[in-house]
Amino acid sequence: MNNATTLYDKLWNSHIVDEQEDGTCLVYIDRHLVHEVTSPQAFDGLRNERRNVRRPDLTLAVADHNVPTTDRDKKIDDEESKIQIDALEKNCADFGIELYSMKDIRQGICHVVGPEQGFTLPGTTLVCGDSHTATHGAFGSMSFGIGTSEVEHVLATQTLLLTKCRNMRVTVNGSLPNGITAKDLILAIIGKIGTAGGTGAAIEFAGEALKSLTMEGRMTVCNMTIEAGARVGLFAPDEKTFEYLKGRPKSPKGAAWEAAVEYWKTLKTDETAIFDEEIVMDVSEIKPQVTWGTSPEDVVAIDGCVPNPAQETDTNKRNKMERSLEYMGLAAGTPMTDIQINTAFIGSCTNSRIEDIRAAASVVEGRKVANGVQALVVPGSGLVKEIAEQEGLDKIFIDAGFEWREAGCSMCLAMNADKLGPGERAASTSNRNFEGRQGPGGRTHLVSPAMAAAAAVKGHLVDLDDLD
Amino acid sequence: MDKFNTLTSVAAPLPLINVDTDMIIPARFLKTIKRTGLGADLFSTLRFQEDGSEREDFVLNKPAFRNSEILIAGKNFGCGSSREHAPWALLDFGIKCVIAPSFADIFYNNSSKNGILLIKLPQEQIDKLMKDAELGANATMTVNLEAQEITGPDGDVIKFEVDAFKKHCLMNGLDDIGLTMEKSDKIAAFEASQKVKIT
Ligand code: SF4
């Protein structure tokens, strides 16, 4: 018998508290990130049943989804946002949970904050009431998004009832050429397997092109695993992982660090392990990507054109394409680089880390935002913002006509004041181009940070190769 | 949580694939700290014009389907964000059962935790039910969870599969947390045995 196991198997097996007859397992949760939108009903549930938080020490809270990204000294104009943020503060105080409040420099998008603080560690299970929790899988942590009932379940019991995912591996071979970013890789992968391609799966990312990514790049890839339908995305931890985590505020220290690294080195898929599904791609097939429609699988290379629904044989798909094109206000056959934009958004848990900001700044330097374009940079955390400012990147953006904002989710989901108006079109580094995601009637093209920056200065989508 | 046993209702046909949670309930309606009241904004963009008036052609606005408790939809229903506001909005509107060829994982879990029954069926059976549903007011269906059967308006019976534990919880209106708390000794033992300390 083949006893070889995958990385996901190892993480799963080491967290089982109890197994039911039907195979459902009670799984221990090592880390829980909490934010203001999906937690209030969970805390209410605890109060109603007179329950406590079992392990406040394993729980970390931060307000990110609807915090304003402009002047933090003013009060929040939106009454409902304020109620949610106040509720989070009260809940954390009542239940003894550490919270990075709006004025704390450590505040930011939960999926940026966790790794930055060393809260996210290899070999752990980590959950958050947000589907992009898969981000933390970049560290070899079994991380996934949960709903509010599950948030309540974790708060009360530090466990979850789960059924195991199937094992899937996505390998991208070949050495990563200049100009292809993590965002392009994951968009191309989603384009290939579709938004339901990973349903029920934990995806391990492998192959030279993916492994050669930095931790930031790996986070971008894992972040968007959910857009391929998978709950978990994983990279086996390696020297880059350890290097990134060493010395972070919540990382283990001294002898505990040494012991942890020894253990983390064992966290990899055995050579003879068998996956339920394998996808193999070669990086030479992949060009810089952009979305044309209203689903992250609607991708095309930047030098391509808006596809033609008439060429789609599947009726369901053709209908969906027609609907998307109508919503997006695009005609089949239009070259992608002819598409004019009103807004460029650089931010979100997909692309708001320091490396993303640097990539965008290097395109912007010495250029100006095109007339009539609103361009926004929203760093992923107060600390990312601080580093960028130390490097003078804020000046580059401001001089070019960008707005330089405070950390938060911002225009990724348009819960705060940052949103697209009806019919407005954005080049966005976020992760979802659903109808209305960035504001009712708003139109989203998902791209990498460098491409969003280039679109801002040109006023239309641009192939970076053509940037003079 | 309400117990789920049998449900007889007109079924509303929504023949769209990849219905995402932003469609079910857009993010701007998530600024609530309650579970109730979201039904008013269910499928907001599909249901209402920009001025707030109803779009006549949307299924849940048609007289025959306004009180549907069953929804029939295309594949990958519920994809996108983890917001439990999606099942809350469905439930608050009165939808207790969704039938589709496939569902997104998180949505699937969230729904059963709120007493909504999700039924996965092969595309051909969905196509048939979709046709039945389009008949409107005279075409009620009955979903029997215990027997795992759907009886169509013509008396045809379709069998469906459901996870045994989810079925048990749905039928008895059981709260997962209470069940898990009974295992707190095992949880404590696990914590004590964790080899690599994580705090
Ligand atoms: S940045 Fe966007 S995707 Fe990420 S956590 Fe915030 S809202 Fe969700």
Side-chain angles (χ1 to χ4, degrees):
Chain A
M1 215 190 105
N2 183 354
N3 286 327
T5 52
T6 66
L7 169 58
Y8 172 69
D9 293 334
K10 291 185 167 78
L11 296 172
W12 174 267
N13 293 339
S14 60
H15 287 88
I16 297 175
V17 174
D18 192 33
E19 185 162 356
Q20 287 170 201
E21 283 157 29
D22 66 352
T24 310
C25 287
L26 191 66
V27 173
Y28 195 77
I29 302 301
D30 299 318
R31 295 282 187 266
H32 187 188
L33 282 162
V34 173
H35 67 82
E36 78 278 22
V37 178
T38 55
S39 69
Q41 292 87 349
F43 284 109
D44 251 17
L46 291 182
R47 283 198 188 88
N48 288 344
E49 302 290 329
R50 297 180 192 287
R51 287 170 177 152
N52 263 320
V53 174
R54 182 181 175 93
R55 294 292 299 269
D57 57 325
L58 302 182
T59 314
L60 178 64
V62 61
D64 55 4
H65 278 64
N66 57 20
V67 296
T69 56
T70 45
D71 192 355
R72 291 270 161 92
D73 291 326
K74 289 203 311 221
K75 74 173 200 14
I76 306 174
D77 289 334
D78 182 305
E79 189 53 27
E80 289 169 305
S81 295
K82 185 169 182 317
I83 291 174
Q84 270 190 342
I85 291 164
D86 289 350
L88 183 68
E89 296 203 347
K90 174 166 184 353
N91 288 331
C92 288
D94 287 0
F95 289 93
I97 293 168
E98 185 178 9
L99 166 77
Y100 297 158
S101 75
M102 242 172 51
K103 296 230 172 102
D104 193 313
I105 184 134
R106 296 168 297 180
Q107 182 269 343
I109 306 171
C110 52
H111 309 313
V112 175
V113 170
E116 196 169 69
Q117 293 298 321
F119 184 70
T120 307
L121 295 176
T124 56
T125 46
L126 182 152
V127 297
C128 171
D130 182 280
S131 56
H132 293 96
T133 309
T135 311
H136 308 262
F139 292 81
S141 158
M142 183 174 117
S143 327
F144 48 92
I146 55 178
T148 302
S149 297
E150 290 173 309
V151 169
E152 187 179 337
H153 196 280
V154 176
L155 288 172
T157 69
Q158 207 57 36
T159 63
L160 275 177
L161 279 165
L162 298 171
T163 45
K164 200 177 168 193
C165 296
R166 65 196 169 93
N167 276 296
M168 182 168 172
R169 179 160 60 188
V170 174
T171 306
V172 181
N173 291 317
S175 75
L176 195 67
N178 259 339
I180 302 292
T181 66
K183 187 68 166 277
D184 300 309
L185 294 180
I186 187 64
L187 283 172
I189 292 167
I190 297 165
K192 177 153 179 137
I193 69 177
T195 50
T199 305
I203 299 181
E204 180 171 343
F205 293 101
E208 188 193 341
L210 286 164
K211 290 293 267 182
S212 68
L213 294 172
T214 59
M215 289 316 293
E216 273 96 344
R218 293 177 188 184
M219 284 189 254
T220 301
V221 169
C222 286
N223 174 273
M224 288 194 72
T225 358
I226 183 72
E227 309 313 331
R231 252 184 127 174
V232 175
L234 288 170
F235 277 83
D238 60 11
E239 288 304 326
K240 278 188 216 171
T241 321
F242 312 147
E243 185 59 32
Y244 179 99
L245 288 172
K246 195 164 190 189
R248 301 259 164 194
K250 291 186 188 287
S251 295
K253 305 274 164 350
W257 169 260
E258 302 302 327
V261 171
E262 277 318 298
Y263 169 59
W264 295 342
K265 285 181 178 162
T266 67
L267 296 173
K268 52 177 176 246
T269 293
D270 298 336
E271 265 176 41
T272 53
I274 294 167
F275 285 82
D276 301 301
E277 189 177 354
E278 294 251 23
I279 306 281
V280 180
M281 297 166 76
D282 194 275
V283 76
S284 60
E285 311 160 24
I286 300 176
K287 292 189 181 167
Q289 302 282 307
V290 54
T291 60
W292 54 265
T294 56
S295 165
E297 69 189 17
D298 299 340
V299 291
V300 60
I302 183 68
D303 60 2
C305 296
V306 176
N308 190 347
Q311 285 163 8
E312 174 61 61
T313 45
D314 180 319
T315 339
N316 272 329
K317 284 198 188 139
R318 188 168 58 240
N319 291 343
K320 174 88 203 315
M321 277 174 92
E322 283 167 353
R323 197 190 145 85
S324 295
L325 290 186
E326 194 195 316
Y327 180 85
M328 293 296 290
L330 291 175
T334 310
M336 291 311 291
T337 49
D338 280 1
I339 297 175
Q340 307 281 326
I341 58 147
N342 316 94
T343 306
F345 171 61
I346 296 164
S348 91
C349 58
T350 314
N351 282 127
S352 64
R353 298 180 181 83
I354 187 63
E355 203 176 89
D356 303 314
I357 310 274
R358 285 183 193 136
S362 73
V363 171
V364 169
E365 188 155 24
R367 298 190 165 97
K368 291 270 182 249
V369 171
N371 268 341
V373 172
Q374 185 194 22
L376 233 65
V377 187
V378 185
S381 70
L383 287 166
V384 169
K385 182 169 183 259
E386 186 182 58
I387 297 170
E389 288 172 354
Q390 282 163 0
E391 295 178 7
L393 306 183
D394 56 328
K395 300 246 167 25
I396 295 178
F397 287 111
I398 293 166
D399 288 347
F402 275 80
E403 294 169 42
W404 179 250
R405 297 290 189 84
E406 301 289 334
C409 293
S410 177
M411 200 180 273
C412 174
L413 89 168
M415 268 191 89
N416 71 353
D418 311 333
K419 56 183 81 151
L420 296 179
E424 282 183 352
R425 190 180 294 282
S428 174
T429 66
S430 55
N431 43 51
R432 284 190 176 138
N433 50 348
F434 297 158
E435 288 183 21
R437 169 78 178 184
Q438 295 191 290
R443 296 163 171 165
T444 304
H445 296 276
L446 301 176
V447 290
S448 69
M451 285 233 278
V457 300
K458 288 288 174 190
H460 57 85
L461 297 173
V462 194
D463 189 339
L464 288 171
D465 283 345
D466 299 340
L467 205 67
D468 35 85
Chain B
M1 191 165 101
D2 289 345
K3 293 181 184 177
F4 193 111
N5 203 341
T6 64
L7 175 66
T8 299
S9 159
V10 167
L14 187 67
L16 290 178
I17 60 168
N18 295 334
V19 171
D20 59 66
T21 49
D22 279 83
M23 248 187 237
I24 300 174
I25 183 92
R28 60 185 182 280
F29 300 115
L30 308 188
K31 295 179 188 175
T32 167
I33 55 170
K34 300 204 192 72
R35 286 174 205 248
T36 52
L38 288 158
D41 300 307
L42 176 72
F43 293 121
S44 173
T45 326
L46 298 170
R47 249 168 92 204
F48 303 108
Q49 324 248 25
E50 263 129 55
D51 65 5
S53 63
E54 289 187 358
R55 293 183 198 272
E56 276 172 31
D57 56 349
F58 184 64
V59 60
L60 295 177
N61 290 334
K62 295 182 184 165
F65 300 107
R66 295 189 89 94
N67 296 317
S68 299
E69 293 175 68
I70 302 172
L71 192 66
I72 315 224
K75 71 169 183 180
N76 202 23
F77 188 89
C79 58
S81 101
S82 65
R83 63 187 67 152
E84 202 155 317
H85 307 70
W88 293 337
L90 286 164
L91 205 61
D92 193 60
F93 183 87
I95 307 272
K96 300 196 180 76
C97 172
V98 185
I99 309 177
S102 60
F103 296 94
D105 291 337
I106 303 181
F107 177 80
Y108 189 83
N109 272 325
N110 284 342
S111 294
S112 49
K113 289 188 194 313
N114 286 281
I116 299 181
L117 173 63
L118 299 186
I119 302 177
K120 237 186 287 185
L121 290 175
Q123 188 68 47
E124 313 84 75
Q125 292 184 333
I126 293 291
D127 293 342
K128 170 164 191 312
L129 289 176
M130 199 72 87
K131 277 217 183 70
D132 287 348
E134 273 153 16
L135 298 174
N138 299 320
T140 55
M141 301 186 187
T142 298
V143 177
N144 182 331
L145 178 55
E146 169 133 59
Q148 298 179 212
E149 286 175 358
I150 304 168
T151 311
D154 51 4
D156 272 10
V157 172
I158 294 176
K159 284 270 186 193
F160 63 86
E161 293 297 316
V162 56
D163 175 276
F165 181 66
K166 290 215 164 78
K167 177 177 176 180
H168 173 75
C169 290
L170 277 166
M171 290 199 59
N172 297 291
L174 289 179
D175 152 28
D176 284 353
I177 298 177
L179 291 173
T180 300
M181 290 188 84
E182 289 170 14
K183 296 183 182 159
S184 52
D185 288 354
K186 282 191 175 165
I187 301 173
F190 179 90
E191 283 172 331
S193 75
Q194 250 182 333
K195 277 192 234 68
V196 179
K197 293 287 171 222
I198 43 136
T199 46

